[in-house]
Amino acid sequence: MSASGTILVFAKAPVAGEAKTRLIPALGAADAAALHERLIGRTLATATETGFRMVLWCHPDARHPLFAAWRENRIPLETQTGDHLGERMYRAFTATKGPAVVIGTDCPDLTAGDLAQAFRLLATGNDAVLGPALDGGYWLLGLNRPDHSLFEGIDWGGNRVAAQTRQRLTALGWRWEELASRPDIDRPEDLRYLPPSFFNRIGDTT
Protein backbone atom coordinates (compact mmCIF):
# COMPACT_ATOMS: atom_id res chain seq x y z
CA MET A 1 0.00 0.00 0.00
CA SER A 2 1.24 3.48 -0.81
CA ALA A 3 2.04 5.95 1.93
CA SER A 4 -0.56 8.64 2.55
CA GLY A 5 -0.04 11.66 0.32
CA THR A 6 0.48 12.61 -3.30
CA ILE A 7 3.57 13.97 -5.05
CA LEU A 8 2.69 16.39 -7.83
CA VAL A 9 5.61 16.52 -10.27
CA PHE A 10 5.49 19.54 -12.57
CA ALA A 11 7.43 19.00 -15.78
CA LYS A 12 7.77 20.79 -19.10
CA ALA A 13 8.29 18.71 -22.22
CA PRO A 14 12.03 18.55 -23.11
CA VAL A 15 11.70 20.18 -26.52
CA ALA A 16 14.81 21.83 -27.92
CA GLY A 17 14.42 25.58 -28.03
CA GLU A 18 11.51 25.53 -25.58
CA ALA A 19 12.97 23.82 -22.52
CA LYS A 20 15.61 25.35 -20.27
CA THR A 21 15.83 28.44 -22.46
CA ARG A 22 18.01 30.28 -19.97
CA LEU A 23 20.64 27.54 -20.34
CA ILE A 24 20.73 27.76 -24.13
CA PRO A 25 23.52 30.40 -24.20
CA ALA A 26 25.75 27.99 -22.26
CA LEU A 27 24.69 24.60 -23.65
CA GLY A 28 22.84 25.17 -26.90
CA ALA A 29 19.20 24.31 -27.45
CA ALA A 30 19.61 20.58 -27.98
CA ASP A 31 21.87 20.01 -24.98
CA ALA A 32 19.73 22.19 -22.72
CA ALA A 33 16.74 20.03 -23.62
CA ALA A 34 18.78 16.86 -23.11
CA LEU A 35 19.82 18.02 -19.65
CA HIS A 36 16.22 18.86 -18.84
CA GLU A 37 15.18 15.34 -19.86
CA ARG A 38 17.78 13.85 -17.53
CA LEU A 39 16.61 16.04 -14.67
CA ILE A 40 13.02 14.92 -15.25
CA GLY A 41 14.05 11.27 -15.23
CA ARG A 42 16.02 11.64 -12.01
CA THR A 43 13.19 13.48 -10.28
CA LEU A 44 10.61 10.87 -11.24
CA ALA A 45 12.89 8.03 -10.18
CA THR A 46 13.45 9.70 -6.81
CA ALA A 47 9.72 10.27 -6.29
CA THR A 48 8.99 6.66 -7.22
CA GLU A 49 11.31 5.46 -4.46
CA THR A 50 9.16 7.02 -1.76
CA GLY A 51 6.05 4.81 -2.02
CA PHE A 52 3.81 7.88 -2.17
CA ARG A 53 1.30 8.22 -4.96
CA MET A 54 2.72 10.33 -7.77
CA VAL A 55 1.07 12.30 -10.56
CA LEU A 56 3.08 13.77 -13.42
CA TRP A 57 1.61 17.14 -14.41
CA CYS A 58 2.76 17.86 -17.96
CA HIS A 59 3.21 21.11 -19.86
CA PRO A 60 2.06 22.05 -22.42
CA ASP A 61 0.39 18.63 -22.70
CA ALA A 62 1.11 14.93 -22.13
CA ARG A 63 1.89 13.95 -25.72
CA HIS A 64 5.69 14.01 -25.56
CA PRO A 65 7.25 10.51 -25.89
CA LEU A 66 9.07 10.93 -22.57
CA PHE A 67 5.77 11.43 -20.77
CA ALA A 68 4.22 8.50 -22.62
CA ALA A 69 7.08 6.29 -21.43
CA TRP A 70 6.32 7.14 -17.82
CA ARG A 71 2.64 6.42 -18.40
CA GLU A 72 3.72 2.93 -19.43
CA ASN A 73 5.35 2.71 -15.98
CA ARG A 74 1.86 3.28 -14.54
CA ILE A 75 2.48 6.88 -13.57
CA PRO A 76 -0.73 8.92 -13.96
CA LEU A 77 -0.38 11.87 -16.32
CA GLU A 78 -2.31 15.12 -16.19
CA THR A 79 -2.05 18.27 -18.29
CA GLN A 80 -1.30 21.56 -16.56
CA THR A 81 -3.96 24.20 -17.16
CA GLY A 82 -3.94 27.89 -16.33
CA ASP A 83 -2.49 31.18 -17.50
CA HIS A 84 0.54 31.14 -15.19
CA LEU A 85 2.49 28.73 -13.00
CA GLY A 86 0.63 29.67 -9.82
CA GLU A 87 -2.75 28.99 -11.36
CA ARG A 88 -1.53 25.67 -12.74
CA MET A 89 -0.22 24.59 -9.34
CA TYR A 90 -3.37 25.71 -7.56
CA ARG A 91 -5.51 23.64 -9.93
CA ALA A 92 -3.29 20.61 -9.38
CA PHE A 93 -3.61 20.95 -5.60
CA THR A 94 -7.38 21.39 -5.74
CA ALA A 95 -7.67 18.29 -7.93
CA THR A 96 -5.86 16.24 -5.28
CA LYS A 97 -7.36 14.77 -2.13
CA GLY A 98 -5.39 14.81 1.09
CA PRO A 99 -1.86 16.12 1.73
CA ALA A 100 0.22 16.86 -1.34
CA VAL A 101 3.61 18.25 -2.25
CA VAL A 102 4.46 19.90 -5.55
CA ILE A 103 7.97 19.71 -6.94
CA GLY A 104 9.58 20.75 -10.18
CA THR A 105 12.35 18.85 -11.91
CA ASP A 106 15.19 21.36 -11.50
CA CYS A 107 16.64 20.23 -8.16
CA PRO A 108 19.35 17.58 -8.65
CA ASP A 109 19.87 17.27 -4.88
CA LEU A 110 16.29 16.13 -4.24
CA THR A 111 16.12 12.89 -2.24
CA ALA A 112 13.38 10.46 -1.31
CA GLY A 113 14.11 11.43 2.28
CA ASP A 114 13.23 15.07 1.53
CA LEU A 115 9.83 14.03 0.25
CA ALA A 116 9.20 11.70 3.17
CA GLN A 117 10.18 14.46 5.61
CA ALA A 118 7.74 16.88 3.96
CA PHE A 119 4.86 14.45 4.44
CA ARG A 120 5.90 13.76 8.05
CA LEU A 121 5.80 17.48 8.77
CA LEU A 122 2.34 17.76 7.20
CA ALA A 123 1.16 14.86 9.32
CA THR A 124 2.39 16.37 12.60
CA GLY A 125 0.51 19.64 12.87
CA ASN A 126 1.88 21.77 10.07
CA ASP A 127 -0.34 23.34 7.45
CA ALA A 128 2.50 23.74 4.95
CA VAL A 129 6.10 22.81 4.22
CA LEU A 130 8.43 24.98 2.13
CA GLY A 131 11.65 23.90 0.46
CA PRO A 132 13.40 27.18 -0.48
CA ALA A 133 15.78 27.35 -3.43
CA LEU A 134 19.05 29.23 -3.36
CA ASP A 135 17.83 31.53 -6.14
CA GLY A 136 14.88 32.80 -4.08
CA GLY A 137 12.28 30.43 -5.45
CA TYR A 138 11.29 27.11 -3.95
CA TRP A 139 11.89 23.51 -4.94
CA LEU A 140 9.00 22.09 -2.90
CA LEU A 141 5.71 23.27 -1.47
CA GLY A 142 3.66 20.89 0.65
CA LEU A 143 0.10 21.60 1.76
CA ASN A 144 -2.62 19.86 3.69
CA ARG A 145 -5.08 22.13 1.90
CA PRO A 146 -4.56 24.74 -0.81
CA ASP A 147 -5.33 28.42 -0.48
CA HIS A 148 -5.56 30.61 -3.58
CA SER A 149 -3.54 33.42 -1.97
CA LEU A 150 -0.40 31.24 -2.12
CA PHE A 151 -0.54 31.17 -5.90
CA GLU A 152 -1.86 34.53 -7.06
CA GLY A 153 0.21 37.70 -7.39
CA ILE A 154 3.53 35.90 -6.93
CA ASP A 155 6.50 36.98 -9.05
CA TRP A 156 7.00 33.55 -10.63
CA GLY A 157 10.49 33.05 -12.01
CA GLY A 158 11.93 35.84 -9.86
CA ASN A 159 14.01 35.84 -6.70
CA ARG A 160 11.16 36.76 -4.32
CA VAL A 161 8.93 33.70 -4.73
CA ALA A 162 9.89 32.05 -1.44
CA ALA A 163 9.76 35.35 0.46
CA GLN A 164 6.33 36.19 -0.95
CA THR A 165 5.09 32.70 -0.10
CA ARG A 166 6.29 33.09 3.48
CA GLN A 167 4.38 36.39 3.69
CA ARG A 168 1.20 34.69 2.48
CA LEU A 169 1.60 31.81 4.92
CA THR A 170 2.03 34.31 7.76
CA ALA A 171 -1.06 36.25 6.64
CA LEU A 172 -3.08 33.02 6.66
CA GLY A 173 -1.98 32.34 10.21
CA TRP A 174 -0.73 28.93 9.17
CA ARG A 175 1.93 26.86 10.86
CA TRP A 176 4.72 25.75 8.53
CA GLU A 177 8.27 24.48 8.54
CA GLU A 178 11.08 24.75 6.03
CA LEU A 179 13.40 22.16 4.59
CA ALA A 180 17.03 22.81 3.68
CA SER A 181 17.76 25.32 0.94
CA ARG A 182 18.74 23.63 -2.31
CA PRO A 183 19.95 24.78 -5.74
CA ASP A 184 17.70 24.84 -8.80
CA ILE A 185 19.27 24.44 -12.24
CA ASP A 186 17.87 27.38 -14.19
CA ARG A 187 20.76 29.57 -15.32
CA PRO A 188 24.31 28.99 -16.62
CA GLU A 189 25.78 29.84 -13.22
CA ASP A 190 23.73 27.04 -11.67
CA LEU A 191 25.50 24.36 -13.71
CA ARG A 192 28.23 24.19 -11.07
CA TYR A 193 25.75 22.44 -8.78
CA LEU A 194 25.35 19.48 -11.14
CA PRO A 195 27.29 16.27 -10.47
CA PRO A 196 29.55 15.30 -13.40
CA SER A 197 27.35 12.30 -14.23
CA PHE A 198 24.62 14.65 -15.46
CA PHE A 199 26.84 15.75 -18.33
CA ASN A 200 27.36 12.25 -19.71
CA ARG A 201 26.16 12.03 -23.31
CA ILE A 202 25.24 15.73 -23.42
CA GLY A 203 27.21 17.13 -26.36
CA ASP A 204 30.38 19.05 -25.68
CA THR A 205 29.68 19.31 -21.94
CA THR A 206 31.04 15.78 -21.32
Side-chain angles (χ1 to χ4, degrees):
M1 176 179 292
S2 296
S4 177
T6 304
I7 301 170
L8 312 175
V9 181
F10 265 48
K12 186 175 184 178
V15 177
E18 299 178 17
K20 288 294 177 196
T21 55
R22 287 179 286 187
L23 290 179
I24 290 175
L27 299 180
D31 288 348
L35 176 58
H36 182 50
E37 182 168 339
R38 298 200 72 187
L39 286 165
I40 293 172
R42 187 191 185 284
T43 301
L44 293 173
T46 300
T48 300
E49 292 176 18
T50 66
F52 290 97
R53 179 175 181 266
M54 177 172 62
V55 179
L56 176 56
W57 286 84
C58 309
H59 182 74
D61 53 51
R63 292 179 294 178
H64 192 278
L66 176 68
F67 297 152
W70 282 94
R71 177 188 281 122
E72 292 178 2
N73 288 333
R74 299 184 179 181
I75 301 301
L77 305 186
E78 298 286 350
T79 297
Q80 300 177 31
T81 60
D83 293 334
H84 56 78
L85 176 60
E87 186 175 353
R88 297 196 294 269
M89 287 196 293
Y90 179 68
R91 291 183 179 183
F93 271 110
T94 56
T96 306
K97 294 182 180 180
V101 300
V102 65
I103 56 174
T105 59
D106 299 334
C107 182
D109 292 343
L110 176 74
T111 68
D114 293 327
L115 297 168
Q117 182 183 8
F119 283 111
R120 283 196 300 271
L121 291 170
L122 290 175
T124 54
N126 290 288
D127 300 295
V129 179
L130 184 67
L134 296 180
D135 62 5
Y138 57 73
W139 54 269
L140 176 147
L141 179 66
L143 301 173
N144 273 315
R145 62 189 185 282
D147 188 278
H148 192 257
S149 67
L150 297 172
F151 304 98
E152 190 64 37
I154 302 292
D155 298 324
W156 303 110
N159 61 6
R160 300 180 60 241
V161 173
Q164 290 173 323
T165 302
R166 293 185 188 102
Q167 292 171 355
R168 305 296 175 83
L169 289 169
T170 298
L172 287 168
W174 283 8
R175 175 181 170 184
W176 84 92
E177 292 197 39
E178 296 196 13
L179 304 178
S181 296
R182 296 285 174 83
D184 269 349
I185 308 302
D186 287 320
R187 300 172 176 84
E189 58 266 29
D190 300 327
L191 293 172
R192 67 185 186 275
Y193 296 116
L194 283 174
S197 62
F198 268 86
F199 292 110
N200 293 341
R201 301 186 302 278
I202 300 179
D204 296 334
T205 60
T206 54

mmCIF file of all heavy atoms in Angstrom, residues 140-176:
data_model
loop_
_atom_site.group_PDB
_atom_site.id
_atom_site.type_symbol
_atom_site.label_atom_id
_atom_site.label_comp_id
_atom_site.label_asym_id
_atom_site.label_seq_id
_atom_site.Cartn_x
_atom_site.Cartn_y
_atom_site.Cartn_z
ATOM 1 N N LEU A 140 10.094 22.914 -3.403
ATOM 2 C CA LEU A 140 8.995 22.092 -2.896
ATOM 3 C C LEU A 140 8.029 22.964 -2.118
ATOM 4 O O LEU A 140 8.444 23.859 -1.376
ATOM 5 C CB LEU A 140 9.532 20.972 -1.983
ATOM 6 C CG LEU A 140 8.514 20.054 -1.288
ATOM 7 C CD1 LEU A 140 9.092 18.629 -1.138
ATOM 8 C CD2 LEU A 140 8.109 20.579 0.084
ATOM 9 N N LEU A 141 6.755 22.691 -2.305
ATOM 10 C CA LEU A 141 5.710 23.266 -1.466
ATOM 11 C C LEU A 141 4.757 22.139 -1.110
ATOM 12 O O LEU A 141 4.210 21.474 -1.990
ATOM 13 C CB LEU A 141 4.958 24.381 -2.187
ATOM 14 C CG LEU A 141 3.811 25.022 -1.386
ATOM 15 C CD1 LEU A 141 4.351 25.773 -0.157
ATOM 16 C CD2 LEU A 141 2.984 25.965 -2.262
ATOM 17 N N GLY A 142 4.584 21.919 0.176
ATOM 18 C CA GLY A 142 3.658 20.895 0.652
ATOM 19 C C GLY A 142 2.507 21.532 1.399
ATOM 20 O O GLY A 142 2.709 22.459 2.188
ATOM 21 N N LEU A 143 1.306 21.037 1.152
ATOM 22 C CA LEU A 143 0.103 21.601 1.761
ATOM 23 C C LEU A 143 -0.855 20.499 2.187
ATOM 24 O O LEU A 143 -1.021 19.498 1.483
ATOM 25 C CB LEU A 143 -0.630 22.515 0.763
ATOM 26 C CG LEU A 143 0.117 23.717 0.200
ATOM 27 C CD1 LEU A 143 -0.718 24.381 -0.891
ATOM 28 C CD2 LEU A 143 0.457 24.711 1.303
ATOM 29 N N ASN A 144 -1.492 20.718 3.321
ATOM 30 C CA ASN A 144 -2.619 19.865 3.692
ATOM 31 C C ASN A 144 -3.894 20.308 3.003
ATOM 32 O O ASN A 144 -4.816 19.507 2.810
ATOM 33 C CB ASN A 144 -2.807 19.863 5.215
ATOM 34 C CG ASN A 144 -1.948 18.819 5.892
ATOM 35 O OD1 ASN A 144 -1.877 17.675 5.436
ATOM 36 N ND2 ASN A 144 -1.277 19.199 6.972
ATOM 37 N N ARG A 145 -3.950 21.584 2.655
ATOM 38 C CA ARG A 145 -5.081 22.126 1.898
ATOM 39 C C ARG A 145 -4.570 23.359 1.157
ATOM 40 O O ARG A 145 -3.742 24.110 1.693
ATOM 41 C CB ARG A 145 -6.234 22.513 2.830
ATOM 42 C CG ARG A 145 -5.878 23.604 3.838
ATOM 43 C CD ARG A 145 -6.959 23.810 4.886
ATOM 44 N NE ARG A 145 -6.683 24.921 5.762
ATOM 45 C CZ ARG A 145 -5.827 24.891 6.783
ATOM 46 N NH1 ARG A 145 -5.135 23.790 7.040
ATOM 47 N NH2 ARG A 145 -5.650 25.950 7.558
ATOM 48 N N PRO A 146 -5.036 23.580 -0.057
ATOM 49 C CA PRO A 146 -4.556 24.739 -0.808
ATOM 50 C C PRO A 146 -5.324 26.003 -0.454
ATOM 51 O O PRO A 146 -6.481 25.944 -0.034
ATOM 52 C CB PRO A 146 -4.810 24.339 -2.260
ATOM 53 C CG PRO A 146 -6.005 23.450 -2.180
ATOM 54 C CD PRO A 146 -5.902 22.708 -0.874
ATOM 55 N N ASP A 147 -4.682 27.129 -0.591
ATOM 56 C CA ASP A 147 -5.334 28.423 -0.481
ATOM 57 C C ASP A 147 -4.892 29.259 -1.673
ATOM 58 O O ASP A 147 -3.694 29.335 -1.982
ATOM 59 C CB ASP A 147 -4.970 29.131 0.827
ATOM 60 C CG ASP A 147 -5.797 30.382 1.042
ATOM 61 O OD1 ASP A 147 -5.434 31.426 0.459
ATOM 62 O OD2 ASP A 147 -6.799 30.319 1.781
ATOM 63 N N HIS A 148 -5.861 29.909 -2.330
ATOM 64 C CA HIS A 148 -5.564 30.614 -3.575
ATOM 65 C C HIS A 148 -4.533 31.723 -3.388
ATOM 66 O O HIS A 148 -3.772 32.045 -4.310
ATOM 67 C CB HIS A 148 -6.859 31.198 -4.160
ATOM 68 C CG HIS A 148 -6.732 31.687 -5.556
ATOM 69 N ND1 HIS A 148 -6.622 33.028 -5.882
ATOM 70 C CD2 HIS A 148 -6.659 31.009 -6.734
ATOM 71 C CE1 HIS A 148 -6.509 33.155 -7.194
ATOM 72 N NE2 HIS A 148 -6.530 31.955 -7.732
ATOM 73 N N SER A 149 -4.465 32.305 -2.191
ATOM 74 C CA SER A 149 -3.537 33.418 -1.969
ATOM 75 C C SER A 149 -2.075 33.001 -2.122
ATOM 76 O O SER A 149 -1.206 33.851 -2.355
ATOM 77 C CB SER A 149 -3.755 34.021 -0.575
ATOM 78 O OG SER A 149 -3.376 33.108 0.444
ATOM 79 N N LEU A 150 -1.785 31.712 -1.986
ATOM 80 C CA LEU A 150 -0.405 31.238 -2.119
ATOM 81 C C LEU A 150 0.064 31.190 -3.567
ATOM 82 O O LEU A 150 1.257 31.009 -3.828
ATOM 83 C CB LEU A 150 -0.275 29.839 -1.503
ATOM 84 C CG LEU A 150 -0.550 29.730 -0.005
ATOM 85 C CD1 LEU A 150 -0.568 28.275 0.417
ATOM 86 C CD2 LEU A 150 0.483 30.510 0.802
ATOM 87 N N PHE A 151 -0.861 31.380 -4.494
ATOM 88 C CA PHE A 151 -0.540 31.166 -5.900
ATOM 89 C C PHE A 151 -0.848 32.349 -6.802
ATOM 90 O O PHE A 151 -0.522 32.326 -7.980
ATOM 91 C CB PHE A 151 -1.296 29.930 -6.414
ATOM 92 C CG PHE A 151 -1.022 28.696 -5.611
ATOM 93 C CD1 PHE A 151 -1.901 28.279 -4.629
ATOM 94 C CD2 PHE A 151 0.133 27.967 -5.818
ATOM 95 C CE1 PHE A 151 -1.641 27.144 -3.876
ATOM 96 C CE2 PHE A 151 0.403 26.836 -5.069
ATOM 97 C CZ PHE A 151 -0.479 26.416 -4.087
ATOM 98 N N GLU A 152 -1.471 33.375 -6.262
ATOM 99 C CA GLU A 152 -1.864 34.533 -7.060
ATOM 100 C C GLU A 152 -1.024 35.742 -6.668
ATOM 101 O O GLU A 152 -0.766 35.977 -5.481
ATOM 102 C CB GLU A 152 -3.346 34.848 -6.854
ATOM 103 C CG GLU A 152 -3.898 35.883 -7.806
ATOM 104 C CD GLU A 152 -3.868 35.437 -9.255
ATOM 105 O OE1 GLU A 152 -4.094 34.243 -9.529
ATOM 106 O OE2 GLU A 152 -3.586 36.290 -10.124
ATOM 107 N N GLY A 153 -0.563 36.508 -7.676
ATOM 108 C CA GLY A 153 0.211 37.704 -7.392
ATOM 109 C C GLY A 153 1.629 37.445 -6.940
ATOM 110 O O GLY A 153 2.267 38.312 -6.334
ATOM 111 N N ILE A 154 2.152 36.264 -7.249
ATOM 112 C CA ILE A 154 3.532 35.904 -6.932
ATOM 113 C C ILE A 154 4.395 36.188 -8.167
ATOM 114 O O ILE A 154 3.968 35.976 -9.298
ATOM 115 C CB ILE A 154 3.637 34.414 -6.546
ATOM 116 C CG1 ILE A 154 2.730 34.096 -5.337
ATOM 117 C CG2 ILE A 154 5.079 34.024 -6.259
ATOM 118 C CD1 ILE A 154 3.165 34.713 -4.043
ATOM 119 N N ASP A 155 5.600 36.662 -7.940
ATOM 120 C CA ASP A 155 6.505 36.978 -9.052
ATOM 121 C C ASP A 155 7.215 35.708 -9.523
ATOM 122 O O ASP A 155 8.405 35.501 -9.284
ATOM 123 C CB ASP A 155 7.528 38.028 -8.628
ATOM 124 C CG ASP A 155 6.884 39.340 -8.240
ATOM 125 O OD1 ASP A 155 5.880 39.708 -8.865
ATOM 126 O OD2 ASP A 155 7.395 39.998 -7.307
ATOM 127 N N TRP A 156 6.470 34.833 -10.198
ATOM 128 C CA TRP A 156 7.005 33.545 -10.634
ATOM 129 C C TRP A 156 8.231 33.738 -11.529
ATOM 130 O O TRP A 156 8.236 34.564 -12.429
ATOM 131 C CB TRP A 156 5.935 32.749 -11.376
ATOM 132 C CG TRP A 156 4.704 32.533 -10.556
ATOM 133 C CD1 TRP A 156 3.479 33.081 -10.744
ATOM 134 C CD2 TRP A 156 4.606 31.719 -9.373
ATOM 135 N NE1 TRP A 156 2.611 32.660 -9.761
ATOM 136 C CE2 TRP A 156 3.273 31.832 -8.906
ATOM 137 C CE3 TRP A 156 5.503 30.914 -8.667
ATOM 138 C CZ2 TRP A 156 2.823 31.162 -7.765
ATOM 139 C CZ3 TRP A 156 5.055 30.246 -7.532
ATOM 140 C CH2 TRP A 156 3.741 30.371 -7.094
ATOM 141 N N GLY A 157 9.257 32.960 -11.242
ATOM 142 C CA GLY A 157 10.493 33.051 -12.006
ATOM 143 C C GLY A 157 11.470 34.061 -11.457
ATOM 144 O O GLY A 157 12.611 34.121 -11.913
ATOM 145 N N GLY A 158 11.056 34.828 -10.462
ATOM 146 C CA GLY A 158 11.930 35.836 -9.862
ATOM 147 C C GLY A 158 12.572 35.325 -8.588
ATOM 148 O O GLY A 158 12.425 34.164 -8.198
ATOM 149 N N ASN A 159 13.273 36.241 -7.899
ATOM 150 C CA ASN A 159 14.010 35.843 -6.699
ATOM 151 C C ASN A 159 13.261 36.140 -5.405
ATOM 152 O O ASN A 159 13.840 36.091 -4.322
ATOM 153 C CB ASN A 159 15.381 36.530 -6.670
ATOM 154 C CG ASN A 159 15.273 38.052 -6.643
ATOM 155 O OD1 ASN A 159 14.191 38.626 -6.534
ATOM 156 N ND2 ASN A 159 16.415 38.721 -6.743
ATOM 157 N N ARG A 160 11.943 36.445 -5.516
ATOM 158 C CA ARG A 160 11.164 36.759 -4.324
ATOM 159 C C ARG A 160 10.037 35.748 -4.070
ATOM 160 O O ARG A 160 9.195 35.950 -3.211
ATOM 161 C CB ARG A 160 10.563 38.163 -4.460
ATOM 162 C CG ARG A 160 11.589 39.265 -4.631
ATOM 163 C CD ARG A 160 10.944 40.640 -4.765
ATOM 164 N NE ARG A 160 10.153 40.987 -3.605
ATOM 165 C CZ ARG A 160 8.841 41.235 -3.625
ATOM 166 N NH1 ARG A 160 8.177 41.194 -4.769
ATOM 167 N NH2 ARG A 160 8.200 41.560 -2.523
ATOM 168 N N VAL A 161 10.040 34.651 -4.816
ATOM 169 C CA VAL A 161 8.928 33.698 -4.725
ATOM 170 C C VAL A 161 8.820 33.102 -3.315
ATOM 171 O O VAL A 161 7.737 33.066 -2.728
ATOM 172 C CB VAL A 161 9.077 32.587 -5.773
ATOM 173 C CG1 VAL A 161 8.016 31.503 -5.567
ATOM 174 C CG2 VAL A 161 8.963 33.169 -7.176
ATOM 175 N N ALA A 162 9.929 32.638 -2.774
ATOM 176 C CA ALA A 162 9.886 32.049 -1.439
ATOM 177 C C ALA A 162 9.500 33.097 -0.393
ATOM 178 O O ALA A 162 8.695 32.828 0.502
ATOM 179 C CB ALA A 162 11.231 31.416 -1.086
ATOM 180 N N ALA A 163 10.076 34.297 -0.499
ATOM 181 C CA ALA A 163 9.760 35.352 0.461
ATOM 182 C C ALA A 163 8.284 35.734 0.396
ATOM 183 O O ALA A 163 7.623 35.911 1.433
ATOM 184 C CB ALA A 163 10.630 36.579 0.199
ATOM 185 N N GLN A 164 7.749 35.853 -0.807
ATOM 186 C CA GLN A 164 6.331 36.192 -0.946
ATOM 187 C C GLN A 164 5.442 35.069 -0.411
ATOM 188 O O GLN A 164 4.402 35.330 0.205
ATOM 189 C CB GLN A 164 6.013 36.467 -2.413
ATOM 190 C CG GLN A 164 6.624 37.758 -2.932
ATOM 191 C CD GLN A 164 6.440 37.919 -4.423
ATOM 192 O OE1 GLN A 164 6.510 36.954 -5.195
ATOM 193 N NE2 GLN A 164 6.197 39.142 -4.862
ATOM 194 N N THR A 165 5.872 33.835 -0.616
ATOM 195 C CA THR A 165 5.094 32.703 -0.100
ATOM 196 C C THR A 165 5.099 32.693 1.422
ATOM 197 O O THR A 165 4.071 32.431 2.057
ATOM 198 C CB THR A 165 5.652 31.385 -0.657
ATOM 199 O OG1 THR A 165 5.606 31.425 -2.092
ATOM 200 C CG2 THR A 165 4.839 30.201 -0.173
ATOM 201 N N ARG A 166 6.237 33.000 2.014
ATOM 202 C CA ARG A 166 6.287 33.094 3.476
ATOM 203 C C ARG A 166 5.329 34.175 3.981
ATOM 204 O O ARG A 166 4.640 33.991 5.005
ATOM 205 C CB ARG A 166 7.708 33.399 3.936
ATOM 206 C CG ARG A 166 8.720 32.296 3.705
ATOM 207 C CD ARG A 166 10.071 32.675 4.306
ATOM 208 N NE ARG A 166 11.109 31.729 3.957
ATOM 209 C CZ ARG A 166 12.030 31.922 3.011
ATOM 210 N NH1 ARG A 166 12.031 33.063 2.314
ATOM 211 N NH2 ARG A 166 12.954 31.006 2.768
ATOM 212 N N GLN A 167 5.297 35.309 3.294
ATOM 213 C CA GLN A 167 4.380 36.386 3.692
ATOM 214 C C GLN A 167 2.930 35.923 3.634
ATOM 215 O O GLN A 167 2.136 36.233 4.537
ATOM 216 C CB GLN A 167 4.592 37.597 2.778
ATOM 217 C CG GLN A 167 5.936 38.283 2.952
ATOM 218 C CD GLN A 167 6.192 39.333 1.882
ATOM 219 O OE1 GLN A 167 5.414 39.508 0.939
ATOM 220 N NE2 GLN A 167 7.310 40.046 2.005
ATOM 221 N N ARG A 168 2.578 35.175 2.607
ATOM 222 C CA ARG A 168 1.204 34.689 2.477
ATOM 223 C C ARG A 168 0.881 33.670 3.555
ATOM 224 O O ARG A 168 -0.227 33.663 4.098
ATOM 225 C CB ARG A 168 1.006 34.074 1.086
ATOM 226 C CG ARG A 168 1.355 35.000 -0.073
ATOM 227 C CD ARG A 168 0.455 36.225 -0.146
ATOM 228 N NE ARG A 168 0.869 37.152 -1.190
ATOM 229 C CZ ARG A 168 0.559 37.050 -2.474
ATOM 230 N NH1 ARG A 168 -0.203 36.043 -2.899
ATOM 231 N NH2 ARG A 168 0.983 37.941 -3.340
ATOM 232 N N LEU A 169 1.820 32.800 3.861
ATOM 233 C CA LEU A 169 1.596 31.808 4.922
ATOM 234 C C LEU A 169 1.394 32.504 6.272
ATOM 235 O O LEU A 169 0.528 32.107 7.071
ATOM 236 C CB LEU A 169 2.788 30.848 4.994
ATOM 237 C CG LEU A 169 2.925 29.868 3.826
ATOM 238 C CD1 LEU A 169 4.287 29.174 3.876
ATOM 239 C CD2 LEU A 169 1.808 28.829 3.841
ATOM 240 N N THR A 170 2.182 33.547 6.521
ATOM 241 C CA THR A 170 2.025 34.309 7.758
ATOM 242 C C THR A 170 0.664 34.985 7.806
ATOM 243 O O THR A 170 -0.025 34.961 8.843
ATOM 244 C CB THR A 170 3.136 35.358 7.873
ATOM 245 O OG1 THR A 170 4.409 34.704 7.918
ATOM 246 C CG2 THR A 170 2.968 36.197 9.137
ATOM 247 N N ALA A 171 0.239 35.577 6.687
ATOM 248 C CA ALA A 171 -1.058 36.254 6.642
ATOM 249 C C ALA A 171 -2.211 35.277 6.876
ATOM 250 O O ALA A 171 -3.240 35.647 7.461
ATOM 251 C CB ALA A 171 -1.233 36.951 5.295
ATOM 252 N N LEU A 172 -2.044 34.041 6.438
ATOM 253 C CA LEU A 172 -3.076 33.024 6.657
ATOM 254 C C LEU A 172 -3.113 32.544 8.103
ATOM 255 O O LEU A 172 -4.085 31.911 8.524
ATOM 256 C CB LEU A 172 -2.827 31.823 5.735
ATOM 257 C CG LEU A 172 -3.141 32.024 4.253
ATOM 258 C CD1 LEU A 172 -2.581 30.859 3.435
ATOM 259 C CD2 LEU A 172 -4.647 32.151 4.034
ATOM 260 N N GLY A 173 -2.062 32.833 8.838
ATOM 261 C CA GLY A 173 -1.977 32.340 10.209
ATOM 262 C C GLY A 173 -1.645 30.867 10.282
ATOM 263 O O GLY A 173 -1.918 30.214 11.296
ATOM 264 N N TRP A 174 -1.035 30.356 9.234
ATOM 265 C CA TRP A 174 -0.726 28.931 9.173
ATOM 266 C C TRP A 174 0.584 28.615 9.886
ATOM 267 O O TRP A 174 1.476 29.459 10.008
ATOM 268 C CB TRP A 174 -0.614 28.479 7.728
ATOM 269 C CG TRP A 174 -1.943 28.300 7.051
ATOM 270 C CD1 TRP A 174 -3.172 28.640 7.519
ATOM 271 C CD2 TRP A 174 -2.157 27.748 5.749
ATOM 272 N NE1 TRP A 174 -4.143 28.326 6.608
ATOM 273 C CE2 TRP A 174 -3.554 27.777 5.512
ATOM 274 C CE3 TRP A 174 -1.322 27.228 4.758
ATOM 275 C CZ2 TRP A 174 -4.126 27.306 4.332
ATOM 276 C CZ3 TRP A 174 -1.878 26.763 3.581
ATOM 277 C CH2 TRP A 174 -3.262 26.796 3.373
ATOM 278 N N ARG A 175 0.680 27.382 10.309
ATOM 279 C CA ARG A 175 1.927 26.859 10.859
ATOM 280 C C ARG A 175 2.666 26.138 9.735
ATOM 281 O O ARG A 175 2.071 25.344 9.004
ATOM 282 C CB ARG A 175 1.634 25.881 12.002
ATOM 283 C CG ARG A 175 2.857 25.179 12.560
ATOM 284 C CD ARG A 175 2.468 24.209 13.669
ATOM 285 N NE ARG A 175 3.576 23.365 14.063
ATOM 286 C CZ ARG A 175 3.496 22.383 14.960
ATOM 287 N NH1 ARG A 175 2.327 22.131 15.554
ATOM 288 N NH2 ARG A 175 4.549 21.655 15.263
ATOM 289 N N TRP A 176 3.951 26.448 9.562
ATOM 290 C CA TRP A 176 4.719 25.750 8.534
ATOM 291 C C TRP A 176 6.164 25.587 8.965
ATOM 292 O O TRP A 176 6.631 26.248 9.887
ATOM 293 C CB TRP A 176 4.648 26.505 7.204
ATOM 294 C CG TRP A 176 5.623 27.629 7.017
ATOM 295 C CD1 TRP A 176 6.867 27.544 6.453
ATOM 296 C CD2 TRP A 176 5.461 28.998 7.392
ATOM 297 N NE1 TRP A 176 7.478 28.773 6.449
ATOM 298 C CE2 TRP A 176 6.630 29.688 7.006
ATOM 299 C CE3 TRP A 176 4.423 29.710 8.012
ATOM 300 C CZ2 TRP A 176 6.803 31.055 7.231
ATOM 301 C CZ3 TRP A 176 4.584 31.060 8.233
ATOM 302 C CH2 TRP A 176 5.752 31.715 7.842
#
